[in-house]
Amino acid sequence: MESQLLRFTTAGSVDNGKSTLIGRLLYDSKSIFEDQLKSVEEISRRTAGGDLNLALFTDGLRDEVEAGITIDVAYRYFATPHRKFIIADAPGHIEFTRNMVTAASTTDTILIIVDAKQGITEQTKRHTFIASLLNLSNVVVCVNKMDLVDWNEGVYKSILTDFYKLTSQLQLPNLQFIPISALKGDNVVNGSDQMNWYSGSTLISLLETLPLDSKLCNVPARFPIQLLLDAGDRKVVAGRVEGGLLFVGDEITASPSGSTGIIESINIDGIEILSASGRMSISIGLSREMDVQRGDILTHSSKLLRLSDKFDAMLCWLSDVDSSIETTYDLQLGTTNESASIQQIHHKIDVNSFKSYVDKKPLSMNDICKVEISLVKEIAFDAYSDNQATGSFILIDKRTNATVAAGMIL
Amino acid sequence: MSDSSLTFIDELESEAIYILREVSAKFKNPTIMFSGGKDSITLIHLAKKAFYPQKIPFTLLHVDTGHNFPEAICRRDSLVDELEVDLIVAKVQNTIDLGRVKEEQGENATRNSLQIRTLLDAIKDRDIDCAIGGARRDEEKSRAKERFFSHRNRNGEWDPKNQRPELWNLFNGAYHQGEHFRVFPISNWTELDIWQYIEREKIQLPSLYFAHEREVVKRNNSWIPFSDFIKLGADEKIERKKIRFRTLGDITITGGIESNADTVEEIVQEVAAMRQTERGNRIDDKRSETAMEDRKRLGYF
Ligand SMILES: Nc1nc2c(ncn2[C@@H]2O[C@H](COP(=O)(O)OP(=O)(O)OP(=O)(O)O)[C@@H](O)[C@H]2O)c(=O)[nH]1
């Protein structure tokens, strides 16, 4: 009951063995049910000459991708005695940037799978760039198919060197490497008899020990208000703490409304508590005179948010309809919605070379670019690098209601 | 205390509460689809927490096949009294009487697929813009990709091309007149998580979930409870077995498993060691590999 939750995403170029690796993690951690196993065994017998095809455990989606069905992320669940895991797996290669950004946004950790025989490819660069764009805390590079290079340490080491060279200009706080064979199972859940030169941990024990959400505790407290609750003559607001620590008695300000007051009580499920921290859904009793509404964010009065009707942001375009300067979008940030437009496209980024280039053409699917957003009214926000929850937003096309872009405030 | 001291159950609970509150803020007339089963009972427990001290700002919607476990209905009615929420009962029988659907014939006939029409009619008639369900992504292959906020078009169908990517904690609930959403706050929970939570929170469940001697009939390799709705086939007979149910659906198709677990603690242990998926005992899912997928497109829960 004491164990904690780690969410991670996976990225690999075509045929690097991503599906096999996920299948291996599920299979060796005994997370596959007998009825699922039976149906995969049956298909394996018919097609793969009998050997269990691990990739099939996650294959349910391939047909749908081919049928043109949009699947941005598929989720898988497994647990070990130490931790519970949610894998956000982004299938599909065409809409890859869009899907990967979507999957990675719900996690703090990414496994990047590299084929030992191929080394670093264009796609590896793209995956790495997105990991740094989304400011993920943990990047684990799995050098797969070590069996095909005779378990050779030199091959592994040279991929490491290349990777360090590649990422010298990127921000990657915790970068780890593991040589594995997803097919044979080496260093995934079980150790390896073939690579005695490797003294690090297996993938699963690394996943069991990676630091969790370290970004959440040492930041200023943020509490986006979701609702005002009906609590008689008391003023009670509901929401989730998105970083930092709040104590009863703290002096607070609601932004953008500017109303100030004191935290009179903190409640979780009817029980009074003295403090609340990151990711807890709570309710807060406020001084009665405070005038707040959904969309306001509570902070300590000494650690305010930025307030503005324009900001620069990195934008990933998700829609097959291009952006337009004339369109007014609905910008959703935390619990705030406000009309917004893309005022200016500063530059786009080539995800393969990490280079920026100027291109004033509208944004189209998978584009990553730096833009200026302007809003009809002032809103309160943080830089994404300071707080993910108060620094990220989506743009919604008001005519189709589609989510067309994901943004990170600079 | 640091944030990373949240256990996974705390985190899943917090996520579900966050989503229930978003629903309340974004929709005009949301309802909780209530089946009487453990997932919907857990959902209601979470809703109670999400809005305390206020009462739950949703109605409850029960799509009644007429083939109920009597005990599940008792539990439904006592919850409605306790929570002071409005209950909407949409009866499949009415949909049949109105000639909107035809009853299936034969030994394996169920009203499961007929429920879709009844549900969609209720959603339309009552101007429901969001139906909250207890479905989980681990239940079935086709659910692995389901979103928290799942958009349905004017005909109530799930249009695969019109689903929205879900980033960070940002859910897009915008819709046009006549469309609606299905929202699944416990998407990320597994069967084991649910049971551990039920244990921790001491949530009361119908005794059907606990092993008990019951009259059952073996059908398609599952133990189906004997009831007035079951017509015995020539080679079928009633047997007494110690059975518990992993899901509670339509009584005519919900199979039980042989088990000795008659407390929540024992069930937690049994589920942790379980080697079969939860829906493995539902006859309707066994009909074809893509059974669930097909029903979902049509607007199944
Ligand atoms: N020799 C060897 N082959 C592997 C290993 N891992 C995966 N493969 C093989 O590589 C091929 C591609 O594996 P998949 O898991 O389907 O690759 P993928 O990256 O998921 O492919 P897509 O789903 O198409 O992206 C399959 O034939 C696997 O059996 C490995 O560690 N060693």
Side-chain angles (χ1 to χ4, degrees), chain B residues 247-259:
Chain B
T247 64
L248 296 190
D250 185 319
I251 196 168
T252 59
I253 51 160
T254 304
I257 55 166
E258 289 187 65
S259 163

Side-chain angles (χ1 to χ4, degrees), chain A residues 11 56 59 100 122 153 161 191 214 217-218 220 233 239 248 303 313 385 403-404:
Chain A
L56 290 176
D59 245 19
M100 201 186 138
E122 293 276 286
E153 184 181 9
T161 312
S214 41
C217 22
N218 301 322
D233 58 353
V248 172
K303 298 262 168 59
S385 57
T403 301
V404 295

Side-chain angles (χ1 to χ4, degrees), chain A residues 138-151:
Chain A
N138 308 302
V139 175
V140 181
V141 181
C142 301
V143 180
N144 189 32
K145 305 199 186 181
M146 286 301 294
D147 54 306
L148 294 184
V149 294
D150 292 328
W151 315 103

Side-chain angles (χ1 to χ4, degrees), chain A residues 8-10 18 22 57-62 64-65 70-77 86-92 99 102-103 106-107, chain B residues 137 140-147 188:
Chain A
F8 66 92
T9 183
T10 47
K18 177 163 72 93
I22 295 175
F57 290 118
T58 60
D59 245 19
L61 302 166
R62 191 162 298 186
E64 298 160 279
V65 172
T70 359
I71 297 159
D72 21 58
V73 190
Y75 296 88
R76 327 260 165 213
Y77 304 85
I86 301 180
I87 311 177
D89 177 28
N99 292 352
T102 305
T106 64
T107 73
Chain B
R137 288 179 182 139
E140 215 273 341
K141 202 162 71 179
S142 76
R143 285 225 164 113
K145 57 184 189 280
E146 183 60 284
R147 288 153 184 82
N188 274 334

Side-chain angles (χ1 to χ4, degrees), chain A residues 226-227 294 332 335, chain B residues 15-33 43 47 50-51 56-59 128-133 148-150 166 169 171-175 181-186:
Chain A
Q226 288 184 277
L227 292 172
R294 175 177 163 88
Q332 183 173 330
T335 58
Chain B
E15 176 180 84
I17 289 175
Y18 178 82
I19 287 163
L20 286 163
R21 288 168 170 174
E22 284 301 286
V23 168
S24 163
K26 283 177 188 285
F27 296 97
K28 292 195 222 45
N29 188 18
T31 193
I32 296 184
M33 295 188 281
L43 201 54
F51 301 104
I56 300 176
F58 308 134
T59 54
I128 290 167
D129 56 356
C130 177
I132 308 162
F148 281 103
F149 277 49
S150 179
E166 295 184 331
N169 54 354
F171 301 100
N172 173 355
Y175 61 89
F181 269 83
R182 304 287 168 83
V183 171
F184 306 107
I186 54 172

Side-chain angles (χ1 to χ4, degrees), chain A residues 359-373:
Chain A
D359 174 1
K360 297 289 172 190
K361 280 205 297 290
L363 306 173
S364 56
M365 169 98 76
N366 294 327
D367 273 352
I368 290 177
C369 47
K370 182 177 164 182
V371 297
E372 182 185 292
I373 299 281

